[in-house]
Amino acid sequence: MAEPTKFSIAVPSEDPKKKEKKPEDPDAKSKPNGEADSGEDLSEEDLQLKNELEMLVERLKESNTELYRPALETLRTLIKTSTSSMTSVPKPLKFLHPHYPELQTLYETWAASENKALFADILSVLAMTYSDTQPRGTLRYRLLSASLQANGPPISEPGSWGHEYVRHLAAELGEEYNARELGEDLEAPTTEGKETPKVPQSVGSIDDLRALGLECATFLLQHNAEPDAVDLLEELEIVNRIVEIVDENTFSRVCQYMVACVNLLPPPDDVAFLETAHAIYVQHQRFPEALALSIRLGNPALVRDDFNAPGNPLMKRQLAFLLARAQVPKEWLDPEDAAEEELPEDLLDCLNNTQLSQHFKDFGKELGVADAKSLEDVYKSHLENTRTTSNVDSARGNLAGTFVNAFVNAGFGNDKLMVEAEEGSSWIYKNKDHGMMSAAASLGLSLLWDTDVGLSHVDKYTYSSEEHIKAGALLATGILNTGVRTEADAALALLGEYVDNKSVPLKTSAMVGLGLAYAGSHREDLLAILLPHVADDGVSMEIASLAALALGFIFVGSGNGEVAQTILQTLMEREDAQLEEKWARYMALGLALVYLGRQDESDATIATLQAIEHPISKQAEILVDMCSFAGTGNVLKVQTLLHHCDEHIEKTPKEKGKDDKEKEKEKKEGEEEAKDEKPKDDTFQAFAVIGIALVAMGEDIGSEMSLRQFNHLMHYGEPVIRKAVPLALGLVSASNPQLPILDTLSKYSHDNDLQVALNAIFAMGLVGAGTNNARLGQMLRQLAGYYHKEPDCLFVVRIAQGLVNMGKGTITINPFFSDRQIMSKNAVAGLLATLTAFTDAKAFVLDKYHWMLYFLVTAMYPRFLITLDEELKSFPVTVRVGQAVDVVGQAGKPRTISGFQTHSTPVRLGTTERAELATEEFIPFAHVLEGFVILQKNPGWEKEAKMEL
C-alpha cells in the first residue's frame, strides 16, 4: 500500500530535479523507476538518443567553434528523422526540452554567422515545446534565422520541419500580426524571469511576416490544407496574394472555400474574397464560375471581361444564359468603343431569354402538366369540411379566382378563364370595378414570357371603354414582358404614352407595368419618363410613390444617384400630411431598391434621411439600410435591426394597435408633447422585422438563427411587429417549405389578431410557392373551412392556394439561384414590394390594390434543368437529382448530393436540390446544372458495351 503512495508522490517531487540530474547522470538505468523521465522506462535506443543529444548540447557550449557546425547539423538530422506517433511529442524535442533555456542564453552569446542562423532555426523548432510560457518563440527564432541569412539562401524551408511545425508557425504568425497591427500584445507571463526582457517584439518587418506567411501557405496548399492556407493569408491581410501560389490541382478547392466564407466575413473582406476567387478562376479559365462571381460583385467591367474572354461560341452562349437568368443589364456587355460589331443574333436570343417561354411550355408537356387547371382542381373544395355548400358567385370569391387562375397557369398561356374563354364570357366580366383591372392583368401572368402571342391577346382589351379593364391590360403588357427582352421594346412603346394620361388607374398601371417589364435593366431612357412624376409636387402621393417604386425596380441595385436624389428631394419637400399617407412607404422602398446589395454605398443617403424631420425618414432609413445588406448575412446589421424592434412605442391610453392606421393617426395627432410627437409612427418596426429576414436569408446558419429571433418577437413584440413576423418567415424561406416553418405559420394562422393570421396565411403561400406541397395544401384547405365566414381571410387562403400550385409546381420565387450562390436582385425587389403591401393588408391588398400581388412576377422563374445540344435544341440525358450537400473543405471528393433519383432531362429541381450528370458521356459547359445547360460530347468516352467483348 505504501509503495504506490510513494510512487505517486515521487513523480511530482522528482520532476523538477530531473533537469539538473540529466547532464551529470547519464546512466539513467540506475535511477529508481519513479524518477526516470516522468515515470516511464527508457529503452536502449531512447537512452542512446538522449545521451547523444546531451553530448551535442555540451559540444555547443565548448569554445571550439569548429565543432559547432557538425553538432548543429547532427541535431537537425536527429530532430528531422525522429518518427513518432500522431499523439506523442517527438523524442528529441522531449529530451531537449529541459535544455532550451540554457540554449537560448548560449545563442545570445554567439556572434552573427551562418552557424548562428542554423542554431536559430533549431531553437525555433524547440520553441514549440515552450509555446505556453514563451509565446511566439517559434516565429521569433524563425525570423532571426532569416535575418542572419539575409543575403544567402535560407537555412531551411519551413515545410522541411514537417506539418506540425508549419501549423504552429501559421498560428503564431496570425497572433504576431495582430499584436503589431492592432497593438494587442499577447505576451504571456514567462516562468523563467531572466528570459523575459529578451523577447523583442520587432524581429523582422511586416513584410517579412507576410513573406513567411506565403511560404507556409504554399506548403499547406501542397498538403491538402487549403482552408488553413486561406485563413493564414486572411489573417495577414494578403489573401489576394493566394492567386500567385495556387495551381490547377488546388485552385478549385481554394475557391470553393473562399466563396463559402464570404457570408461569414465582415464587409471589406467579403468583397476581397470574391475578387480573389474571381481572379483565380479567370487565371485558370473557368469562365462560368468567374462570371457567377462577377454577377455577385455587381461589377459591370468584370462581367464584360468575363463574357468576352472565352473564344468558344458555345461557352459564350452558356454565359449568356447565366446572364439572362441573373437579368444583367445588356448595356453592361456593350463594348466601350462603338466601333466593334454588335453581338451575334444567337447570343442575343440567349441573353434576352427569347426562348424561355417555348422551353417552359415544352417542359410542362414533358412533365404532363401542360393542360390548364381549373379553380376546383386547386381548391379541391369537396375535401373542405364546411357546412355551407353555396355556389353563389361572390365578387370577392371571383377576384380570388382571378389570382389563383393566373398563378396556377402562369406561363402556359392556355387557361380556361381568360386566354381561351369564349368571346364575351371572359372572366373579366365576373368582377366589379377595380376587380376588372386585376382580372385583365391576370392575362399577362398567364402568357408570361410569351411576348408575341401575349401582346396580341392583351391588345383587344386596351381598346375597352371600361377604364379598369384598360388599366389591367396595360399592367398585363408589363407583366408578360418581365424577365424577357425584345428588340422591339414593345412595353415601352405601348405603355410610355399612358404615363402622362389624366386617368389615375391608367397612369399608375402604366408606371408599374414599365417597372415590371424593365426590372433590373438600368435603362437610362426611362428616367425621363418616370422621374418627373416623382418630383412633381402637384401629383398625388399614390402616383409619385408608384413612379418611385417603378424606378426602384428598373434601377434595382444600381446605386443610381439621379433616382436617389430625386426621391430624397421629394421626401424633403412634401408636406407632412402627404407623407402620412399609406403610399409613402412605397416611395421609401423605391429609394431602398436602388441600393439593393450595395453595402456601404448607401451611407450618404442614410445620413440625408436622418435629417428629415418626419417619421417617414425612420422607415426609409431602415429600408435603405436593410436593402444595402440584403442576403449578406451581416450579423451587425441584424443586431441593429433587432434593436429597432425592441423600442416600445407609447400610444395613447386608448391602446388599439390593431385598429386601422387612420384612427391611430387621429389619436396621435392629439398629443402635444414633442417626445410623443416623434414616435407616433411605428411602421418602421414592421420593416425592421422583414429586414432581419432579408439580411439573414443569404446563408443557412443565419436564417436558422433568425427563426429563433422571430419566435421571441412573436411572443414579446408589439402588434405591428407581430404582424410582420409571418411575412419575414415567408421571405427567409421562399419556395422552400421546411416543416418547422410550416408548423409555426400554421400556428400563427389561427392567431387572435386577424392581421397576423392573414399574413401567416399569405406567408404559407410564399413558403410553398410553386412546390405543390401536399401537406401545405391540406393545411390551407382546413383554413378555408375554418375561415369560411371571414371574407378577408378566405380571400388570402385562396391566394395562398394559388401560390402553392404556382405554374403547376414548376415555378419558384426563391431569389437565390446557381446553387443558391447568386441572389437575383429583381426577385428580391418583387418579394419586398409584395411584402410591403402586406404590412398594411387592409389598406392595400384587401382594399382596391389587390393587383399588388402581381409584384411577385419579377421573382417567378421556372425551376428546371434543360440540357441543350450544340444547336441549342433540347436534348435528353440522364441526370441524378438529390438533396444538395455542402462538401466545402472536406477531404477527397465526397458526393455532392444525397438520396438521389435518376431522371432524364428536362427535370424539375427543388430549391435545395442539385443535379449531376449520371455518366461522363457529355461535358457540361456550366459549372452548376440548373436552368439551361449546353452539353458537348466527351471525346474520350467509350460506351461500356464495347468493353465487354
Short mmCIF file of all heavy atoms in Angstrom, two decimals, residues 549-601:
data_model
loop_
_atom_site.label_atom_id
_atom_site.label_comp_id
_atom_site.label_asym_id
_atom_site.label_seq_id
_atom_site.Cartn_x
_atom_site.Cartn_y
_atom_site.Cartn_z
N LEU A 549 -41.41 53.64 -57.06
CA LEU A 549 -41.25 52.19 -56.97
C LEU A 549 -40.83 51.61 -58.32
O LEU A 549 -39.95 50.75 -58.40
CB LEU A 549 -42.56 51.55 -56.50
CG LEU A 549 -42.48 50.04 -56.34
CD1 LEU A 549 -41.55 49.68 -55.19
CD2 LEU A 549 -43.85 49.43 -56.07
N ALA A 550 -41.47 52.11 -59.39
CA ALA A 550 -41.12 51.62 -60.73
C ALA A 550 -39.64 51.89 -61.01
O ALA A 550 -38.93 51.04 -61.55
CB ALA A 550 -42.01 52.28 -61.78
N LEU A 551 -39.19 53.09 -60.61
CA LEU A 551 -37.77 53.40 -60.81
C LEU A 551 -36.90 52.48 -59.95
O LEU A 551 -35.82 52.07 -60.37
CB LEU A 551 -37.50 54.86 -60.44
CG LEU A 551 -37.98 55.87 -61.49
CD1 LEU A 551 -37.97 57.28 -60.92
CD2 LEU A 551 -37.12 55.81 -62.74
N GLY A 552 -37.39 52.18 -58.75
CA GLY A 552 -36.66 51.24 -57.88
C GLY A 552 -36.49 49.89 -58.56
O GLY A 552 -35.42 49.28 -58.51
N PHE A 553 -37.56 49.42 -59.22
CA PHE A 553 -37.49 48.15 -59.95
C PHE A 553 -36.49 48.23 -61.10
O PHE A 553 -35.67 47.35 -61.30
CB PHE A 553 -38.87 47.79 -60.51
CG PHE A 553 -39.71 46.95 -59.57
CD1 PHE A 553 -40.87 47.45 -59.01
CD2 PHE A 553 -39.34 45.66 -59.26
CE1 PHE A 553 -41.63 46.68 -58.14
CE2 PHE A 553 -40.10 44.87 -58.41
CZ PHE A 553 -41.25 45.39 -57.84
N ILE A 554 -36.59 49.30 -61.87
CA ILE A 554 -35.77 49.40 -63.09
C ILE A 554 -34.29 49.55 -62.71
O ILE A 554 -33.42 48.94 -63.31
CB ILE A 554 -36.23 50.59 -63.95
CG1 ILE A 554 -37.65 50.34 -64.45
CG2 ILE A 554 -35.29 50.80 -65.13
CD1 ILE A 554 -38.33 51.56 -65.02
N PHE A 555 -34.02 50.38 -61.69
CA PHE A 555 -32.62 50.64 -61.33
C PHE A 555 -32.22 49.85 -60.09
O PHE A 555 -31.40 50.31 -59.30
CB PHE A 555 -32.41 52.14 -61.11
CG PHE A 555 -32.48 52.91 -62.39
CD1 PHE A 555 -33.67 53.49 -62.80
CD2 PHE A 555 -31.38 53.00 -63.22
CE1 PHE A 555 -33.74 54.17 -64.00
CE2 PHE A 555 -31.44 53.69 -64.42
CZ PHE A 555 -32.63 54.27 -64.81
N VAL A 556 -32.80 48.67 -59.92
CA VAL A 556 -32.55 47.90 -58.69
C VAL A 556 -31.06 47.59 -58.56
O VAL A 556 -30.42 47.12 -59.50
CB VAL A 556 -33.41 46.62 -58.67
CG1 VAL A 556 -33.05 45.69 -59.80
CG2 VAL A 556 -33.27 45.91 -57.35
N GLY A 557 -30.51 47.96 -57.41
CA GLY A 557 -29.10 47.65 -57.13
C GLY A 557 -28.11 48.40 -58.00
O GLY A 557 -26.97 48.00 -58.12
N SER A 558 -28.55 49.52 -58.60
CA SER A 558 -27.62 50.23 -59.49
C SER A 558 -26.91 51.35 -58.76
O SER A 558 -25.90 51.87 -59.22
CB SER A 558 -28.39 50.83 -60.67
OG SER A 558 -29.25 51.86 -60.18
N GLY A 559 -27.46 51.77 -57.60
CA GLY A 559 -26.88 52.92 -56.90
C GLY A 559 -27.01 54.20 -57.71
O GLY A 559 -26.22 55.13 -57.52
N ASN A 560 -28.01 54.27 -58.60
CA ASN A 560 -28.15 55.44 -59.48
C ASN A 560 -28.41 56.72 -58.68
O ASN A 560 -29.44 56.85 -58.01
CB ASN A 560 -29.30 55.18 -60.46
CG ASN A 560 -29.44 56.28 -61.49
OD1 ASN A 560 -29.63 57.44 -61.15
ND2 ASN A 560 -29.34 55.91 -62.75
N GLY A 561 -27.47 57.67 -58.77
CA GLY A 561 -27.56 58.89 -57.95
C GLY A 561 -28.75 59.76 -58.29
O GLY A 561 -29.37 60.37 -57.42
N GLU A 562 -29.09 59.80 -59.58
CA GLU A 562 -30.17 60.69 -60.02
C GLU A 562 -31.50 60.28 -59.39
O GLU A 562 -32.25 61.10 -58.87
CB GLU A 562 -30.27 60.61 -61.54
CG GLU A 562 -30.66 61.92 -62.18
CD GLU A 562 -30.61 61.80 -63.72
OE1 GLU A 562 -29.72 61.10 -64.23
OE2 GLU A 562 -31.48 62.40 -64.35
N VAL A 563 -31.77 58.98 -59.44
CA VAL A 563 -33.03 58.48 -58.87
C VAL A 563 -33.05 58.75 -57.38
O VAL A 563 -34.03 59.29 -56.83
CB VAL A 563 -33.17 56.95 -59.12
CG1 VAL A 563 -34.45 56.43 -58.50
CG2 VAL A 563 -33.14 56.66 -60.61
N ALA A 564 -31.95 58.43 -56.70
CA ALA A 564 -31.89 58.59 -55.25
C ALA A 564 -32.09 60.06 -54.88
O ALA A 564 -32.87 60.39 -53.97
CB ALA A 564 -30.55 58.09 -54.74
N GLN A 565 -31.39 60.95 -55.61
CA GLN A 565 -31.51 62.39 -55.31
C GLN A 565 -32.96 62.84 -55.41
O GLN A 565 -33.47 63.54 -54.55
CB GLN A 565 -30.69 63.21 -56.32
CG GLN A 565 -29.25 63.37 -55.99
CD GLN A 565 -29.01 63.69 -54.52
OE1 GLN A 565 -28.56 62.83 -53.78
NE2 GLN A 565 -29.31 64.90 -54.08
N THR A 566 -33.60 62.46 -56.52
CA THR A 566 -34.97 62.94 -56.76
C THR A 566 -35.91 62.46 -55.67
O THR A 566 -36.74 63.22 -55.16
CB THR A 566 -35.46 62.44 -58.13
OG1 THR A 566 -34.45 62.70 -59.09
CG2 THR A 566 -36.73 63.15 -58.54
N ILE A 567 -35.79 61.18 -55.29
CA ILE A 567 -36.71 60.66 -54.27
C ILE A 567 -36.43 61.34 -52.93
O ILE A 567 -37.37 61.74 -52.22
CB ILE A 567 -36.57 59.12 -54.14
CG1 ILE A 567 -36.93 58.46 -55.47
CG2 ILE A 567 -37.46 58.59 -53.03
CD1 ILE A 567 -36.80 56.95 -55.48
N LEU A 568 -35.16 61.55 -52.60
CA LEU A 568 -34.82 62.23 -51.35
C LEU A 568 -35.41 63.65 -51.34
O LEU A 568 -35.98 64.10 -50.35
CB LEU A 568 -33.30 62.32 -51.19
CG LEU A 568 -32.62 61.08 -50.62
CD1 LEU A 568 -31.11 61.22 -50.71
CD2 LEU A 568 -33.03 60.87 -49.18
N GLN A 569 -35.24 64.32 -52.47
CA GLN A 569 -35.74 65.69 -52.61
C GLN A 569 -37.24 65.72 -52.33
O GLN A 569 -37.75 66.56 -51.58
CB GLN A 569 -35.47 66.16 -54.05
CG GLN A 569 -35.44 67.65 -54.25
CD GLN A 569 -34.33 68.31 -53.42
OE1 GLN A 569 -33.28 67.71 -53.24
NE2 GLN A 569 -34.59 69.49 -52.91
N THR A 570 -37.95 64.76 -52.94
CA THR A 570 -39.40 64.71 -52.80
C THR A 570 -39.78 64.47 -51.34
O THR A 570 -40.69 65.10 -50.80
CB THR A 570 -39.97 63.57 -53.66
OG1 THR A 570 -39.46 63.73 -54.97
CG2 THR A 570 -41.48 63.61 -53.70
N LEU A 571 -39.05 63.53 -50.69
CA LEU A 571 -39.36 63.25 -49.29
C LEU A 571 -39.16 64.49 -48.43
O LEU A 571 -39.86 64.70 -47.44
CB LEU A 571 -38.47 62.11 -48.77
CG LEU A 571 -38.83 60.71 -49.26
CD1 LEU A 571 -37.77 59.71 -48.80
CD2 LEU A 571 -40.20 60.27 -48.76
N MET A 572 -38.20 65.33 -48.80
CA MET A 572 -37.96 66.53 -48.01
C MET A 572 -39.03 67.59 -48.27
O MET A 572 -39.43 68.31 -47.37
CB MET A 572 -36.58 67.11 -48.36
CG MET A 572 -35.45 66.30 -47.81
SD MET A 572 -33.91 67.04 -48.34
CE MET A 572 -32.74 66.03 -47.46
N GLU A 573 -39.46 67.68 -49.52
CA GLU A 573 -40.32 68.81 -49.87
C GLU A 573 -41.80 68.56 -49.66
O GLU A 573 -42.57 69.50 -49.52
CB GLU A 573 -40.07 69.19 -51.34
CG GLU A 573 -38.70 69.83 -51.52
CD GLU A 573 -38.32 69.99 -52.98
OE1 GLU A 573 -39.16 69.65 -53.85
OE2 GLU A 573 -37.21 70.45 -53.25
N ARG A 574 -42.22 67.31 -49.66
CA ARG A 574 -43.65 67.03 -49.50
C ARG A 574 -44.14 67.49 -48.12
O ARG A 574 -43.39 67.43 -47.15
CB ARG A 574 -43.91 65.54 -49.66
CG ARG A 574 -43.77 65.06 -51.07
CD ARG A 574 -45.11 65.05 -51.75
NE ARG A 574 -44.98 64.77 -53.17
CZ ARG A 574 -46.02 64.53 -53.95
NH1 ARG A 574 -47.23 64.53 -53.45
NH2 ARG A 574 -45.86 64.31 -55.23
N GLU A 575 -45.41 67.85 -48.06
CA GLU A 575 -45.95 68.26 -46.76
C GLU A 575 -46.16 67.04 -45.88
O GLU A 575 -46.38 65.94 -46.37
CB GLU A 575 -47.29 68.97 -46.98
CG GLU A 575 -47.12 70.32 -47.67
CD GLU A 575 -48.43 70.77 -48.31
OE1 GLU A 575 -49.48 70.26 -47.89
OE2 GLU A 575 -48.37 71.59 -49.22
N ASP A 576 -46.16 67.30 -44.56
CA ASP A 576 -46.31 66.20 -43.62
C ASP A 576 -47.56 65.38 -43.87
O ASP A 576 -47.56 64.16 -43.80
CB ASP A 576 -46.33 66.73 -42.18
CG ASP A 576 -44.91 67.04 -41.73
OD1 ASP A 576 -44.01 66.91 -42.58
OD2 ASP A 576 -44.71 67.39 -40.56
N ALA A 577 -48.63 66.06 -44.16
CA ALA A 577 -49.91 65.35 -44.34
C ALA A 577 -49.79 64.32 -45.46
O ALA A 577 -50.35 63.22 -45.37
CB ALA A 577 -51.02 66.34 -44.66
N GLN A 578 -49.04 64.67 -46.50
CA GLN A 578 -48.89 63.72 -47.62
C GLN A 578 -47.99 62.56 -47.23
O GLN A 578 -48.23 61.42 -47.61
CB GLN A 578 -48.31 64.45 -48.83
CG GLN A 578 -49.30 65.43 -49.45
CD GLN A 578 -48.67 66.19 -50.59
OE1 GLN A 578 -47.59 66.75 -50.46
NE2 GLN A 578 -49.35 66.23 -51.72
N LEU A 579 -46.95 62.86 -46.45
CA LEU A 579 -46.04 61.79 -46.04
C LEU A 579 -46.71 60.85 -45.05
O LEU A 579 -46.24 59.74 -44.82
CB LEU A 579 -44.77 62.38 -45.43
CG LEU A 579 -43.89 63.16 -46.41
CD1 LEU A 579 -42.71 63.77 -45.67
CD2 LEU A 579 -43.39 62.27 -47.53
N GLU A 580 -47.80 61.31 -44.44
CA GLU A 580 -48.55 60.44 -43.52
C GLU A 580 -49.26 59.33 -44.30
O GLU A 580 -49.64 58.31 -43.74
CB GLU A 580 -49.64 61.23 -42.78
CG GLU A 580 -49.11 62.26 -41.81
CD GLU A 580 -48.51 61.62 -40.58
OE1 GLU A 580 -48.81 60.46 -40.29
OE2 GLU A 580 -47.69 62.30 -39.93
N GLU A 581 -49.52 59.57 -45.58
CA GLU A 581 -50.35 58.63 -46.34
C GLU A 581 -49.68 57.25 -46.38
O GLU A 581 -48.47 57.12 -46.28
CB GLU A 581 -50.55 59.14 -47.77
CG GLU A 581 -51.54 60.27 -47.86
CD GLU A 581 -51.73 60.71 -49.31
OE1 GLU A 581 -51.80 59.82 -50.18
OE2 GLU A 581 -51.79 61.92 -49.55
N LYS A 582 -50.53 56.24 -46.63
CA LYS A 582 -50.02 54.87 -46.66
C LYS A 582 -49.05 54.67 -47.82
O LYS A 582 -48.23 53.75 -47.81
CB LYS A 582 -51.18 53.90 -46.79
CG LYS A 582 -52.01 54.10 -48.06
CD LYS A 582 -53.21 53.20 -48.10
CE LYS A 582 -54.03 53.46 -49.36
NZ LYS A 582 -55.27 52.71 -49.37
N TRP A 583 -49.12 55.55 -48.83
CA TRP A 583 -48.28 55.35 -50.02
C TRP A 583 -46.82 55.69 -49.78
O TRP A 583 -45.94 55.26 -50.52
CB TRP A 583 -48.81 56.22 -51.16
CG TRP A 583 -50.09 55.70 -51.68
CD1 TRP A 583 -51.34 56.22 -51.43
CD2 TRP A 583 -50.30 54.55 -52.48
NE1 TRP A 583 -52.30 55.46 -52.03
CE2 TRP A 583 -51.68 54.43 -52.69
CE3 TRP A 583 -49.45 53.60 -53.03
CZ2 TRP A 583 -52.24 53.40 -53.44
CZ3 TRP A 583 -49.99 52.58 -53.79
CH2 TRP A 583 -51.38 52.48 -53.98
N ALA A 584 -46.57 56.47 -48.75
CA ALA A 584 -45.19 56.96 -48.55
C ALA A 584 -44.20 55.80 -48.45
O ALA A 584 -43.06 55.91 -48.88
CB ALA A 584 -45.13 57.81 -47.30
N ARG A 585 -44.66 54.66 -47.90
CA ARG A 585 -43.72 53.55 -47.71
C ARG A 585 -43.20 53.03 -49.06
O ARG A 585 -42.11 52.50 -49.14
CB ARG A 585 -44.38 52.41 -46.93
CG ARG A 585 -45.50 51.75 -47.66
CD ARG A 585 -46.30 50.85 -46.75
NE ARG A 585 -47.03 51.64 -45.77
CZ ARG A 585 -47.63 51.11 -44.70
NH1 ARG A 585 -47.57 49.82 -44.49
NH2 ARG A 585 -48.29 51.87 -43.86
N TYR A 586 -44.01 53.20 -50.11
CA TYR A 586 -43.53 52.74 -51.42
C TYR A 586 -42.47 53.68 -51.99
O TYR A 586 -41.60 53.27 -52.73
CB TYR A 586 -44.70 52.57 -52.39
CG TYR A 586 -45.30 51.19 -52.26
CD1 TYR A 586 -46.55 50.99 -51.71
CD2 TYR A 586 -44.57 50.07 -52.63
CE1 TYR A 586 -47.07 49.71 -51.55
CE2 TYR A 586 -45.07 48.79 -52.48
CZ TYR A 586 -46.31 48.62 -51.95
OH TYR A 586 -46.79 47.36 -51.78
N MET A 587 -42.60 54.96 -51.63
CA MET A 587 -41.56 55.88 -52.08
C MET A 587 -40.24 55.51 -51.40
O MET A 587 -39.19 55.46 -52.04
CB MET A 587 -41.96 57.31 -51.74
CG MET A 587 -41.03 58.30 -52.36
SD MET A 587 -41.65 59.97 -52.26
CE MET A 587 -42.68 60.07 -53.68
N ALA A 588 -40.33 55.21 -50.10
CA ALA A 588 -39.11 54.82 -49.37
C ALA A 588 -38.55 53.52 -49.95
O ALA A 588 -37.34 53.36 -50.09
CB ALA A 588 -39.45 54.63 -47.90
N LEU A 589 -39.45 52.59 -50.32
CA LEU A 589 -38.99 51.31 -50.87
C LEU A 589 -38.30 51.53 -52.22
O LEU A 589 -37.28 50.91 -52.52
CB LEU A 589 -40.17 50.35 -51.03
CG LEU A 589 -39.80 48.97 -51.56
CD1 LEU A 589 -38.88 48.25 -50.59
CD2 LEU A 589 -41.02 48.12 -51.82
N GLY A 590 -38.85 52.44 -53.03
CA GLY A 590 -38.23 52.75 -54.32
C GLY A 590 -36.79 53.21 -54.13
O GLY A 590 -35.87 52.79 -54.83
N LEU A 591 -36.60 54.06 -53.11
CA LEU A 591 -35.25 54.56 -52.81
C LEU A 591 -34.36 53.40 -52.34
O LEU A 591 -33.20 53.27 -52.76
CB LEU A 591 -35.36 55.62 -51.70
CG LEU A 591 -34.06 56.18 -51.16
CD1 LEU A 591 -33.26 56.86 -52.25
CD2 LEU A 591 -34.33 57.15 -50.02
N ALA A 592 -34.92 52.54 -51.49
CA ALA A 592 -34.12 51.45 -50.93
C ALA A 592 -33.67 50.48 -52.01
O ALA A 592 -32.54 49.98 -52.00
CB ALA A 592 -34.93 50.71 -49.86
N LEU A 593 -34.56 50.21 -52.98
CA LEU A 593 -34.23 49.21 -54.02
C LEU A 593 -33.04 49.66 -54.86
O LEU A 593 -32.28 48.85 -55.36
CB LEU A 593 -35.44 48.95 -54.91
CG LEU A 593 -36.59 48.20 -54.24
CD1 LEU A 593 -37.75 48.03 -55.21
CD2 LEU A 593 -36.16 46.84 -53.73
N VAL A 594 -32.89 50.98 -55.02
CA VAL A 594 -31.76 51.48 -55.81
C VAL A 594 -30.43 51.02 -55.18
O VAL A 594 -29.45 50.79 -55.87
CB VAL A 594 -31.84 53.02 -55.90
CG1 VAL A 594 -30.59 53.58 -56.56
CG2 VAL A 594 -33.07 53.44 -56.68
N TYR A 595 -30.43 50.86 -53.85
CA TYR A 595 -29.18 50.48 -53.17
C TYR A 595 -29.13 49.00 -52.81
O TYR A 595 -28.32 48.59 -51.99
CB TYR A 595 -29.02 51.31 -51.90
CG TYR A 595 -28.71 52.76 -52.20
CD1 TYR A 595 -29.65 53.75 -52.01
CD2 TYR A 595 -27.46 53.11 -52.70
CE1 TYR A 595 -29.36 55.07 -52.30
CE2 TYR A 595 -27.16 54.42 -53.01
CZ TYR A 595 -28.11 55.40 -52.80
OH TYR A 595 -27.82 56.70 -53.10
N LEU A 596 -29.99 48.20 -53.42
CA LEU A 596 -30.06 46.79 -53.04
C LEU A 596 -28.70 46.11 -53.24
O LEU A 596 -28.17 46.09 -54.34
CB LEU A 596 -31.12 46.08 -53.89
CG LEU A 596 -31.42 44.65 -53.47
CD1 LEU A 596 -32.11 44.63 -52.13
CD2 LEU A 596 -32.32 43.96 -54.48
N GLY A 597 -28.15 45.59 -52.13
CA GLY A 597 -26.89 44.86 -52.23
C GLY A 597 -25.66 45.72 -52.42
O GLY A 597 -24.59 45.20 -52.71
N ARG A 598 -25.78 47.05 -52.23
CA ARG A 598 -24.60 47.91 -52.46
C ARG A 598 -23.78 48.13 -51.19
O ARG A 598 -22.83 48.91 -51.20
CB ARG A 598 -25.03 49.28 -53.00
CG ARG A 598 -25.83 49.25 -54.28
CD ARG A 598 -25.08 48.65 -55.43
NE ARG A 598 -23.93 49.41 -55.85
CZ ARG A 598 -23.61 49.64 -57.11
NH1 ARG A 598 -24.36 49.18 -58.08
NH2 ARG A 598 -22.53 50.33 -57.41
N GLN A 599 -24.20 47.51 -50.08
CA GLN A 599 -23.49 47.64 -48.80
C GLN A 599 -23.26 49.11 -48.41
O GLN A 599 -24.22 49.85 -48.26
CB GLN A 599 -22.19 46.84 -48.83
CG GLN A 599 -22.49 45.37 -49.09
CD GLN A 599 -21.50 44.41 -48.48
OE1 GLN A 599 -20.55 44.78 -47.83
NE2 GLN A 599 -21.73 43.14 -48.66
N ASP A 600 -21.98 49.53 -48.27
CA ASP A 600 -21.72 50.84 -47.67
C ASP A 600 -22.06 52.02 -48.57
O ASP A 600 -22.00 53.17 -48.12
CB ASP A 600 -20.24 50.95 -47.28
CG ASP A 600 -19.88 49.89 -46.27
OD1 ASP A 600 -20.78 49.48 -45.53
OD2 ASP A 600 -18.71 49.46 -46.22
N GLU A 601 -22.38 51.77 -49.82
CA GLU A 601 -22.59 52.91 -50.72
C GLU A 601 -23.80 53.74 -50.33
O GLU A 601 -23.98 54.85 -50.81
CB GLU A 601 -22.76 52.41 -52.17
CG GLU A 601 -21.45 51.95 -52.76
CD GLU A 601 -21.62 51.42 -54.17
OE1 GLU A 601 -22.39 52.02 -54.94
OE2 GLU A 601 -20.99 50.41 -54.49
#
